[in-house]
């Protein structure tokens, strides 16, 4: 663990947009009262945008999302400094269910579907906070996106990994939130479906105006749909910019995109030593 | 003058707390009164009252404290299980214990009876559970004859599988057989109140005529109620702890007719020379002096008075040590402690025989009408009445010692 | 040549769901064999059948000529079969070290009595010997820094690596990897691919891998099988499988210039040591 | 960061052996040894009452340790532990009374016999999980207790049985002062045994079964064997504890082994910390001292102005019971993970002080 | 064979069993929403009984008023318990929460004894005809009332959990609190609701037993009796709980029949359900209607 006495870096101003829908200012997060994971992280998500959050394993991406959605509390985590503003209002410290009611919905890492319910029940619960009567229509919409879910009428716990991932995304669509926090939506999906999921993301962003904060390992795909991107290392944002800027950054190319340009770096003839460069 | 320490095990919160509360209060009030009137030979009595919740391990743990550094002169004990568990220690540490358990096994100081282990330091006031059953069955046999019913009467023992209800089981069944009863298989029911309809249905179908209730009032009431609902026609015989004014009030009409032994010559408010003293004692916890005290309170006072006199004798004859207190119990024949005249039945303890009395006073509980009014009023206007049935004087048979 | 692992006409049904339908294939000794296919095609189910979690409704499985269809799952490590899981299945509250040591369960001899007496019965010596082996794996997978950490608090990518370490600790001859690279960024995938290749080449393990990242699959596997709706639809070397129109339609979608390098050729088979 | 441990910086291990010691640091080992030496003097320093509390902590601590194996390490809730404790007590009393076996041997023997019984009652664990298993153990509790009340040949029926005092090679140990050392020796041995167990093969297997039984099975662990085994091991320690208890009280009564005692055992390990060996002892101490201190308080309260004001009188016992309940609740609300967890946090805090984050 | 006795015992078992079923149902309710086994269920039952008794005897409130007041009180009481005691435990290990309910039962039982004394108190008469004759057995009218109530409640709850949105929310909460929260479900209000309903349902049972047996601390023993019932039916099945209760009621009585007619062992009435429980569980590890754990890797 590195020292915590380090001076906070002032949040770097992002591209000037109108009022950002979400802004995270200089937050610090500890788990279990002692393990400091986020060290002064700041980011902003403009209204109606798709913003990608990239970073290595353990950088703290999921932690960031959980800090925003308030779910940190249930894991013995705590935001000890900084603030999170949504629509101009401070939301840190608020119960997660209230945050959902304000319009932020998180697709959690690792699917987290309700195993002992059917797909339809899971989808209905996605719409728990809604009171309108278009729920049935939306269920049909999800089934249109993922026809496979419709065929599986048993308990969701028996679905395959990818099917569960579809269900998790479908559930978020059911909530019709203002903003979706997506934690690795493409994980475990077949290439065909990955494409589809990204086109769905684009679609709901464009058609329904849902703002999206996207955590992805598939940086190539993420940057192709996002307008902005942040790169995290060890609990801090180390680089940010528009998607195009990031795509052209040499380091990003090297570590996240797998080689320059469109030329995919081959996994063949891998060397048994590694070169590691870190911003920190 | 150095104060005298006594230990007092009480159950105010456990499964026998319904009867434990009045009894323990009686003991506590008595010593408060003794201290107020100058103590024992001028020495203050420190009674350490401990609510052990009828749990043997807690009694043992408490005993370890009492037998340790600041040793008590004697103990006023409570239940059968815990008193029997302590018997060995009491003998070893020479601490007398007058208990509220009347298990016959505690009445054989030398083990000569051959039925129980020696219990040299155990005492209790009143007839043993076994002797009470013997008395009741003697009456029952006569009752059966008097009613002129045909055939052999049927007897059944009812109670939890627990040392206390079990204590008189063998003795009761033996005398029943001797007196010509037909024995039915015992019926088990727990020490806690509950629904005992099933037990009553079998009781009914077995055709029993006399049923001994071995538990304390709380669960007995449940049985009485359930049996009334099931339409059981049986003469219930309660043990000393199985029936009292509170139980009659709670069970209402279901308690009507139950026969049970009374340890004292009269109940609260009865006419006896000692009753004024008892009223004084009662004021220790009821300044107004209006409370009605059930039979167990009265018995508690008697028990405490016996202990007080034994300690008094010891203090005068070499100091209040356990050994001397024990000797104090042997000093009088037909002993009625001062203040208990006409209430506490005369008792005689000898070094070979701790059966203080073999006289069994049988009463019948009479309940008339609703029992919603306060207990005192009910007794005053006859809604609840204890009616003397008979006194049985059992022979002091050596083979019954400790059994 | 006899297959190391042979799956013969395996079908698996759950009530009305046909997870697998008459799937047959074989894996050769020392091969790096990949299974791909759309979500819900039955890939994990195959692995579950091999590792004993599921018992096929029909068909048989042979490992080195031995019928293992009905064998208890816990008897399989001793035969030399190890695996990792698609949805992480680590022992959450144990340290990384202990997680890996559990992998050596079937290789250790001390039991609860000798273990309790530790110093007196040689249990300590045995534990230490195996600890040495475990440390080799830790070095190999670069897990030194998290050795003592509680597995449940590790980030996703590291947990996957710990799972691999645990499976390696079984000293299997056949290792089954269920989506080892899901949730990793490019750099991490690169590492993982290197480990897998080393597993295959240096440690001589036969590897069976399920993976959705076509780049990895194409580059490192010797042979690929494709499942769709519980049926095998193609099998062969990576390039030819990739060219299969059925596979393209069911799995890859339209032509994907990023994934298909024109100069892609399957890695040459090397007989493992 | 993720690999944070509490081993001080600069404390590098140079061999695997040095990395597998019982205590993480030499300081903690020395502290423990010093602690044990200190405790050895207890009988000569503290009064009999405190001594008896220490003995109880030791005895219950051994039984609770057994429960922690099945609940804390293997993850199976057992609500019948007191029945095994009782079985050990009766067995040891029976063996010494009936066969004249010296008490010295009776105690471990009782442990072994109880372990066998535990294995039998652990059989449902092969098929049952979670609360279903928990209630099956509750059933075992009632069945065994009924057996005690019934089996005259074994327990003497419902009347309390007597047990011989401890003797060693014909030399009788009388009194708590001497018995204290017997208990202390057993505590040390039992705690060492379990510490070793957990860091060796079968202990790890138990924990693996708790954390993820499906993958444990794939790792070659026989679930049925270990689930059942954990009950056997738990019963062993319960049996040893029960035997020590029997010869301490020299009376064995059915009543001490009811469901309330089982629940107290559970409270001990939950409050101490599930799956923590030293936590077990801490939790046991907590649960032994809590009622005692409440008792002490209620004695102090008797006839005090508060008593007069509330009109407590004989109801003081209820106040005491309530206080015990409330303290447990408050404790769990603030420290649901147990004393061991809090202890670790305190240590971590000091280790990192003044940089607490 | 004594058929007459057997029939009477069976009817008795059925009647008492329904009551177990009601308590078991309130038990299942909390479990379904919180995964917590509530060891204080017996005490909740007792609180309900005492409150109703107190209203009826001290304030002479007529039963048709006293009962609803009791139920409303219990509903609020359930919420209060949840807010004050269990809310801070949300998200903590289940076993710690279970321990809290155990401690809670100690607190309540001591408090009840303190407030209402240790003596059994008779319940005022509430029905004109106290008994109804069924197959030669005098069955108390209140039992019939409880029968009606339990059937109605069972149907209501089955509907609630299967189809209503809040029922789904409760099940989701039980499955995983974090996931439920991420869906916008207020775990706090779900838990409060579960406790409120459960307390209310057990109060119904409490009043029924109190009418039959009188009120005393011993009534809380029902809390333990229903463990086997709830488990037998399957911990998460409302209908199963009722059925489990009836089975236990019948079992007790059949065991008692065998015992009194043939075996003469003595305590079979209390112990037989536990033997049966183990045997049934070995055959059906999730009770009769409990849902299996999902075992998928
Ligand atoms: N519940 C927890 N308790 C303690 N530490 C935690 C906890 N959850 C996460 N951490 C630590 O916080 C750090 C960041 O974890 P996080 O899951 O946010 O990373 P991530 O960027 O999402 O990684 P990945 O790409 O693997 O999902 C890691 O070092 C992890 O060990
Ligand atoms: N235990 C089970 N009960 C019922 N259905 C099951 C079970 N296990 C798998 N299935 C079904 O079988 C099908 C195949 O599942 P499997 O997990 O093998 O798919 P997969 O190919 O691994 O998919 P993915 O890439 O999404 O992980 C799925 O549709 C799934 O719903
Ligand atoms: C006093 C009692 C109600 C208890 C009884 N004396 C017993 O032997 O346990
Ligand atoms: Mg993550
Ligand atoms: Mg899969």
């Amino acid at each position: 663990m590195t020292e915590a006495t380090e001076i906070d870096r002032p949040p770097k101003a992002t591209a000037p947009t109108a009022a950002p829908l979400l802004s995270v200012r200089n937050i610090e997060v500890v788990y279990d009262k002692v393990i400091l994971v986020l060290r002064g992280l700041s980011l902003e998500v403009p209204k109606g945008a798709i913003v990608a959050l990239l970073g290595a394993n353990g950088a703290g991406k999921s932690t960031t999302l959980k800090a925003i959605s308030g779910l940190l509390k249930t894991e013995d985590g705590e935001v000890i400094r900084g603030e999170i503003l949504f629509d101009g209002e401070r939301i840190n410290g608020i119960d997660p269910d209230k945050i959902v009611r304000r319009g932020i919905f998180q697709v959690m890492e690792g699917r987290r579907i309700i195993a002992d319910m059917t797909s339809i029940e899971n989808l209905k619960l996605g719409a728990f906070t809604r009171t309108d009567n278009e729920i049935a229509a939306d269920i049909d919409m999800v089934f249109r996106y993922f026809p496979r879910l419709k065929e599986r009428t048993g308990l969701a716990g028996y679905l395959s990994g990818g099917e569960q991932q579809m269900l998790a995304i479908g559930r978020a669509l059911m909530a019709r939130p203002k903003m979706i926090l997506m934690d690795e939506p493409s994980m475990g999906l077949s290439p065909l479906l990955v494409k589809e999921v990204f086109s769905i993301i684009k679609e709901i962003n464009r058609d329904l105006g849902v703002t999206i904060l996207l955590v992805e390992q598939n940086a190539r795909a993420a940057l192709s749909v996002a307008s902005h991107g942040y790169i995290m290392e060890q609990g801090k944002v180390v680089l940010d910019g528009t998607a195009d800027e990031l795509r052209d950054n040499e380091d990003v190319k090297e570590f996240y995109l797998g080689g320059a340009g469109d030329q995919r770096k081959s996994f063949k003839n891998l060397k048994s030593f590694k070169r590691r460069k870190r911003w920190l | 003058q150095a104060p005298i320490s006594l230990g007092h095990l009480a159950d105010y919160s456990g499964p026998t707390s319904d009867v434990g509360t009045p009894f323990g209060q009686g003991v506590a009030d008595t010593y408060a009164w003794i201290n107020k009137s100058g103590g024992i030979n001028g020495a203050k009595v420190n009674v350490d009252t401990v609510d052990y919740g009828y749990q043997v391990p807690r009694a043992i743990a408490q005993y370890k404290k009492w037998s340790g550094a600041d040793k008590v002169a004697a103990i006023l004990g409570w239940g059968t299980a815990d008193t029997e568990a302590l018997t060995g220690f009491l003998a070893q540490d020479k601490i007398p214990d007058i208990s509220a358990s009347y298990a016959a096994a505690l009445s054989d100081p030398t083990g000569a009876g051959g039925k129980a282990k020696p219990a040299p330091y155990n005492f209790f006031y009143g007839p043993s559970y076994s002797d009470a059953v013997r008395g009741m069955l003697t009456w029952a046999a006569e009752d059966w004859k008097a009613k002129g019913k045909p055939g052999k009467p049927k007897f059944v023992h009812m109670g939890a599988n627990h040392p206390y209800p079990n204590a008189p089981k063998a003795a009761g069944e033996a005398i029943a057989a001797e007196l010509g009863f037909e024995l039915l298989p015992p019926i088990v029911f727990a020490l806690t109140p509950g629904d005992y309809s099933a037990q009553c249905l079998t009781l009914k179908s077995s055709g029993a005529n006399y049923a001994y209730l071995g538990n304390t009032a709380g669960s007995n009431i449940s049985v009485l109620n359930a049996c009334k609902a099931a339409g059981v026609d049986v003469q219930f015989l309660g043990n000393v702890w199985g029936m009292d004014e509170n139980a009659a009030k709670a069970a209402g009409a279901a308690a009507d007719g139950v026969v049970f032994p009374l340890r004292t010559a009269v109940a609260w408010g009865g006419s006896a020379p000692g009753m004024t003293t008892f009223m004084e004692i009662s004021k220790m916890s009821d300044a107004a002096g209006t409370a009605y005290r059930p039979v167990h309170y009265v018995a508690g006072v008697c028990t405490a008075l016996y202990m007080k006199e034994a300690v008094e004798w010891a203090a005068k004859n070499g100091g209040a040590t356990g050994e001397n207190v024990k000797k104090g119990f042997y000093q009088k024949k037909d002993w009625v402690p001062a203040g208990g005249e006409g209430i506490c039945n005369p008792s005689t303890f000898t070094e070979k025989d701790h059966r203080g009395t073999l006289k069994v006073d049988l009463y019948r509980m009479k309940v008339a009408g609703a029992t919603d009014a306060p207990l005192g009023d009910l007794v005053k206007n006859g809604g609840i009445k204890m009616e003397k049935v008979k006194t049985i004087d059992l022979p002091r048979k050596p083979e019954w010692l400790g059994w | 040549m006899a297959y190391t692992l042979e799956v013969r006409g395996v079908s698996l049904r759950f009530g009305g769901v046909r997870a697998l339908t008459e799937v047959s294939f074989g894996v050769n000794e020392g091969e790096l064999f990949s299974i791909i296919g759309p979500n819900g095609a039955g890939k994990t189910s195959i692995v579950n059948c091999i590792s004993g979690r599921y018992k096929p409704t029909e068909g048989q499985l042979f490992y080195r000529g031995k019928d293992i269809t009905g064998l208890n799952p816990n008897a399989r490590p001793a035969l030399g079969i190890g695996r990792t899981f698609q949805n992480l299945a680590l022992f959450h509250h144990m340290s990384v070290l202990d997680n890996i040591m559990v992998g050596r369960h079937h290789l250790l001899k001390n039991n609860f009595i000798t273990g309790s007496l530790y110093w007196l019965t040689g249990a300590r010596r045995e534990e230490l010997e195996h600890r040495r082996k475990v440390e080799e794996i830790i070095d190999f997978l670069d897990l030194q820094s998290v050795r003592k950490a509680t597995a449940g608090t590790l980030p996703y990518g590291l947990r996957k690596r710990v799972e691999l370490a645990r499976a390696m600790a079984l000293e299997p001859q056949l290792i089954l990897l269920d989506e080892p690279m899901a949730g990793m960024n490019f750099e991490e995938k690169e590492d993982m691919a290197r480990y897998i290749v080393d597993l295959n080449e240096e440690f001589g393990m036969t590897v069976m891998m399920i993976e959705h990242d076509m780049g990895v699959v194409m580059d490192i596997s010797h042979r690929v099988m494709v499942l769709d709706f519980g049926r095998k639809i193609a099998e062969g070397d990576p390039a030819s499988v990739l060219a299969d129109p059925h596979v393209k339609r069911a799995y890859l979608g339209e032509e994907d210039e990023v994934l298909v390098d024109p100069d892609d050729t399957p890695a040459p088979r090397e007989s493992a040591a | 960061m993720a690999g944070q441990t509490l081993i001080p910086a600069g404390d590098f291990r140079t061999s695997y052996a040095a990395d597998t010691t019982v205590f993480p640091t030499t300081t903690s080992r020395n502290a423990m040894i010093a602690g044990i030496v200190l405790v050895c003097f207890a009988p000569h320093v503290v009064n009999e009452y405190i001594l008896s509390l220490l003995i109880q902590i030791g005895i219950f601590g051994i039984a609770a340790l057994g429960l922690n194996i099945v609940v804390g390490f293997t993850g199976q809730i057992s609500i019948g532990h007191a029945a095994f404790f009782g079985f050990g007590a009766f067995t040891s009393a029976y063996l010494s009374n009936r066969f004249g076996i010296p008490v010295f041997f009776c105690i471990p023997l009782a442990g072994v016999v109880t372990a066998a019984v535990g294995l039998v009652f652990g059989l449902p664990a092969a098929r049952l999980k979670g609360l279903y298993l928990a209630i099956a153990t509750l059933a075992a509790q009632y069945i065994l207790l009924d057996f005690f009340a019934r089996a005259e040949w074994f327990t003497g029926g419902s009347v309390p049985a007597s047990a011989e005092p401890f003797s060693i090679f014909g030399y009788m140990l009388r009194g708590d002062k001497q018995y204290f050392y017997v208990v202390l020796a057993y505590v040390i041995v039992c705690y060492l045994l379990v510490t070793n167990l957990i860091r060796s093969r079968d202990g790890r297997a138990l924990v693996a079964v708790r954390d993820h039984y499906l993958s444990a099975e794939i790792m070659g662990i026989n679930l049925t064997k270990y689930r059942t085994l954990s009950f056997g091991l738990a019963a062993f320690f319960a049996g040893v504890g029960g035997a020590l208890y029997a010869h301490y009280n020299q009376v064995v009564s059915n009543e001490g082994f009811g469901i309330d005692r089982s629940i107290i055992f559970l409270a001990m390990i939950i409050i101490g910390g599930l799956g923590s060996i030293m936590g077990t002892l801490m939790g046991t101490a907590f649960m032994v001292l809590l009622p005692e201190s409440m008792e002490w308080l209620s004695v102090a309260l008797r006839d005090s102005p508060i008593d007069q004001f509330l009109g407590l009188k004989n109801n003081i016992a209820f106040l005491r019971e309530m206080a015990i309940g409330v303290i447990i609740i408050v404790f769990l609300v603030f420290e649901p993970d147990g004393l061991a967890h809090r202890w670790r946090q305190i240590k971590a805090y000091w280790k990192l002080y003044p940089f607490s984050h | 064979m004594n058929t007459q006795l057997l029939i009477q015992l069976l009817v008795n078992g059925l009647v008492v069993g329904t009551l177990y079923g009601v308590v078991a149902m309130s038990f299942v309710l909390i479990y379904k929403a919180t995964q917590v086994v509530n060891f204080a269920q017996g005490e909740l039952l007792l609180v309900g009984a005492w409150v109703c008794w107190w209203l009826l005897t001290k304030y002479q409130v007529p039963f048709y008023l006293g009962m609803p007041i009791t139920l409303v009180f219990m509903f609020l009481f359930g919420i209060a318990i949840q807010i004050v005691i269990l809310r801070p435990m949300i998200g903590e290990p289940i076993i710690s929460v279970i321990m809290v309910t155990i401690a809670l039962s100690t607190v309540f039982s001591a408090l009840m004894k303190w407030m209402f004394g240790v003596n059994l108190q008779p319940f005022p008469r509430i029905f004109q005809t106290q008994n109804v004759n069924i197959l030669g057995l005098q069955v108390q009218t209140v039992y019939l009332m409880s029968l009606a109530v339990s059937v109605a409640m069972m149907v209501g709850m089955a509907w609630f959990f299967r189809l209503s949105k809040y029922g789904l929310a409760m099940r989701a909460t039980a499955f995983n609190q974090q996931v439920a929260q991420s869906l916008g479900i207020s775990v706090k209000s779900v838990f409060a609701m579960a406790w409120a309903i459960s307390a209310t349902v057990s109060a119904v049972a409490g009043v029924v037993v109190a009418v039959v047996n009188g009120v005393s601390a011993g009534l809380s023993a029902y809390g333990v009796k229903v463990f086997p019932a709830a488990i037998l039916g399957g911990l998460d099945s409302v209908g199963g709980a009722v059925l489990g209760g009836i089975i236990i009621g019948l079992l007790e009585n059949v065991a008692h029949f065998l015992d009194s007619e043939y075996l003469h062992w003595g305590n079979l009435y209390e112990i037989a359900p536990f033997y049966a429980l183990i045997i049934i569980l070995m055959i059906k590890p999730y009770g009769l209607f409990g849902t299996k754990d999902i075992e998928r890797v």
Side-chain angles (χ1 to χ4, degrees), chain E residues 81-90 97 100-101 104 195:
Chain E
I81 298 176
Q82 203 282 330
I83 290 180
V84 177
I85 294 153
L86 290 140
R87 182 156 294 182
M89 296 298 289
I90 289 180
V97 187
V100 165
T101 69
L104 206 57
W195 277 84

Side-chain angles (χ1 to χ4, degrees), chain B residues 11 15-20 23 52 54 77-83 99-103 106 129 162-165 167 191 214-217 239-242 263 296:
Chain B
D11 179 14
T16 61
S17 54
D18 48 352
V19 290
F23 187 92
Y52 78 115
Y54 207 55
W78 179 245
T80 302
D82 40 290
T83 311
S99 65
S101 164
Y102 309 144
L106 301 172
Y129 294 141
H162 184 274
Y164 147 56
L191 268 175
N215 290 1
T216 49
N239 77 94
V240 261
W241 302 105
R263 280 152 294 178
H296 306 308

Side-chain angles (χ1 to χ4, degrees), chain A residues 152 158 160 162-163, chain C residues 39-45 54 86 212, chain E residues 296:
Chain A
R152 294 282 176 267
Y158 295 120
S160 82
E163 290 164 345
Chain C
N39 296 113
K43 306 179 293 297
T44 302
S45 299
Y54 293 157
Q86 180 175 7
H212 283 302
Chain E
R296 196 183 186 307

Side-chain angles (χ1 to χ4, degrees), chain D residues 28-110:
Chain D
S28 61
R29 189 187 60 197
N30 294 341
M32 180 57 69
I33 291 173
I36 291 172
V37 170
L38 219 62
V39 168
C40 282
F41 287 107
H44 307 289
V45 189
V46 301
N47 67 25
E48 290 186 40
Y49 169 59
I50 294 184
L51 193 63
S52 78
L53 292 181
L54 288 177
I55 291 175
Q56 284 184 51
I57 293 173
I59 291 174
F60 290 133
I62 290 170
L65 185 64
L67 187 62
N68 219 341
I69 294 178
V70 77
V71 181
F73 291 118
T74 320
Q76 301 171 320
I77 304 177
S78 164
I79 327 183
H81 202 61
F84 297 119
F85 185 73
F87 201 93
F90 280 121
T91 305
S92 195
Y94 176 71
L95 289 176
S96 65
N97 291 343
R98 177 81 170 67
F99 301 107
I101 302 173
V103 173
F104 184 75
F105 297 109
C106 283
I107 294 176
L109 222 53

Side-chain angles (χ1 to χ4, degrees), chain B residues 12-14 17 21 24-25 28 47-58 60-62 64-65 67-69 80-82 84-86 89 92 117 161-164 166 285, chain D residues 47-49 52-53 56 146 149-150 152 157-162 174 176 245 248-257 260-261 292 295 299 302 313-318 320-321:
Chain B
Y12 295 150
S13 57
S17 54
T21 307
Q25 192 66 59
V47 183
D48 187 12
T49 301
V50 171
D51 176 4
Y52 78 115
Y54 207 55
Q55 287 166 8
V56 178
R58 272 171 76 183
I60 294 175
Q62 189 55 47
K64 295 217 166 194
K65 282 190 219 171
S67 63
T80 302
D82 40 290
E84 289 190 350
L86 291 178
F89 295 123
Q92 193 182 310
K117 278 182 280 180
N161 189 9
H162 184 274
Y164 147 56
N166 280 345
S285 62
Chain D
N47 67 25
E48 290 186 40
Y49 169 59
S52 78
L53 292 181
Q56 284 184 51
D146 181 58
R150 212 184 273 286
E152 305 251 343
S158 63
V159 198
S162 63
R174 287 216 175 267
D176 290 5
Y245 187 67
Y248 173 57
N249 282 338
Q250 292 164 39
V251 178
V252 192
S253 154
N254 223 336
E255 301 205 346
F257 314 127
D260 34 354
R261 172 59 56 194
E292 290 301 326
E295 179 72 46
V299 169
R302 209 187 284 162
K313 292 190 196 143
N314 297 335
N315 293 327
I316 252 177
F318 303 130
R320 188 194 65 206
E321 298 287 304

Side-chain angles (χ1 to χ4, degrees), chain B residues 69-126:
Chain B
D70 36 337
K71 197 163 164 173
V72 296
I75 291 173
L76 295 120
W78 179 245
T80 302
D82 40 290
T83 311
E84 289 190 350
L86 291 178
T87 299
F89 295 123
L90 293 168
Q92 193 182 310
D93 301 331
K94 300 195 166 57
I95 301 177
D97 178 350
I98 188 163
S99 65
S101 164
Y102 309 144
L106 301 172
S107 65
D108 183 357
T110 58
K115 296 290 202 312
K117 278 182 280 180
Y121 278 81
N122 287 92
F123 299 89
F124 54 77
Y125 157 72

Side-chain angles (χ1 to χ4, degrees), chain C residues 43-247:
Chain C
K43 306 179 293 297
T44 302
S45 299
I46 285 269
V47 168
N48 276 334
C49 287
I50 300 170
S51 66
R53 271 298 317 147
Y54 293 157
K55 195 176 171 306
T57 331
E58 277 157 41
Q60 284 162 303
L61 298 133
F62 295 91
Y63 178 72
R64 295 188 190 279
K66 184 175 182 296
D67 185 347
I68 57 164
T69 318
L71 196 68
N72 271 338
N74 60 34
R76 296 179 196 226
L79 291 182
I81 303 177
R83 73 169 283 191
T84 65
F85 299 85
Q86 180 175 7
N87 297 319
L88 291 165
L90 283 176
F91 307 119
H92 259 239
H93 298 94
M94 292 170 103
S95 70
V96 168
L97 197 58
D98 281 344
N99 264 282
I100 305 174
M101 280 299 273
V102 171
R104 300 200 71 78
H105 185 82
H106 73 106
L107 299 167
L108 281 158
K109 299 224 162 31
N110 74 71
N111 58 28
F112 64 99
I113 295 173
T114 56
S116 298
L117 298 171
Y118 209 65
W119 304 282
L120 312 176
T121 50
R124 175 183 138 96
R125 194 173 29 78
E126 190 188 25
E127 290 280 331
L128 290 180
E129 260 165 37
H130 285 262
R131 171 72 189 273
R132 188 157 299 132
K133 296 263 169 58
V134 165
E135 288 294 339
E136 283 166 16
I137 296 171
I138 287 180
D139 282 344
F140 171 66
L141 292 176
D142 273 328
L143 289 168
Q144 297 89 340
S145 64
V146 294
R147 204 190 267 125
K148 291 277 167 91
T150 309
T153 61
L154 294 182
Y156 191 86
L158 270 180
R159 286 192 234 178
K160 291 229 103 155
R161 223 188 288 167
V162 176
E163 262 211 3
L164 180 62
R166 187 179 66 178
M168 284 178 67
L170 293 166
E171 296 191 353
Q173 278 110 54
L174 171 66
I175 190 164
L176 315 167
L177 307 173
D178 198 349
E179 302 196 15
M181 289 167 218
M184 300 197 170
N185 67 25
F186 185 84
E187 190 194 13
E188 290 152 352
K189 277 183 184 165
E190 213 173 30
D191 289 344
M192 193 49 112
R194 178 178 61 90
Y195 295 138
I196 294 172
V197 171
D198 279 355
L199 224 53
N200 183 241
E201 290 176 359
E202 306 289 322
F203 291 72
M205 294 181 196
T206 306
V207 179
M208 184 168 143
M209 171 175 86
I210 298 174
E211 190 39 67
H212 283 302
D213 187 309
M214 290 312 292
V216 181
V217 172
M218 292 304 132
D219 289 351
I220 67 174
S221 40
H222 303 152
R223 234 149 39 89
V224 179
M225 174 176 82
V226 190
L227 288 179
D228 190 20
F229 286 104
R231 289 175 193 274
K232 181 166 100 175
I233 56 170
E235 186 182 352
D237 60 64
S240 65
V241 163
L242 205 61
D244 188 310
H246 190 166
V247 176

